[in-house]
Amino acid sequence: MKELRCLVFTDQEVVKAVLDRRRRMKEPLPSGTVGKVTYRPGQPGGGGVETLIQVTTTAA
């Protein structure tokens, strides 16, 4: 018997997870404010989802 599960996350949860991962990997964090989170299908045959996070920077 096969089972299919669907996991649903809020945009806030996705952004937090991405930022937490970047901190753990010691990757630079973008400065600014998250303006928009969008999703699109991942690589063909991969079955994943690609997340795009738009960051708006403010001029000093």
Side-chain angles (χ1 to χ4, degrees), residues 2 5 7 12-13 15-17 19-22 24-25 29-30 33 35 37 41 46 49 56:
K2 293 184 180 184
R5 294 182 185 205
L7 301 176
Q12 289 177 335
E13 291 172 321
V15 170
K16 184 178 182 322
L19 293 177
D20 288 348
R21 182 194 178 279
R22 291 186 75 141
R24 280 195 318 272
M25 302 300 289
L29 296 174
T33 304
V37 179
V49 176
T56 305

Side-chain angles (χ1 to χ4, degrees), residues 1-20:
M1 179 176 190
K2 293 184 180 184
E3 183 176 323
L4 177 66
R5 294 182 185 205
C6 179
L7 301 176
V8 180
F9 299 97
T10 65
D11 288 349
Q12 289 177 335
E13 291 172 321
V14 171
V15 170
K16 184 178 182 322
V18 169
L19 293 177
D20 288 348

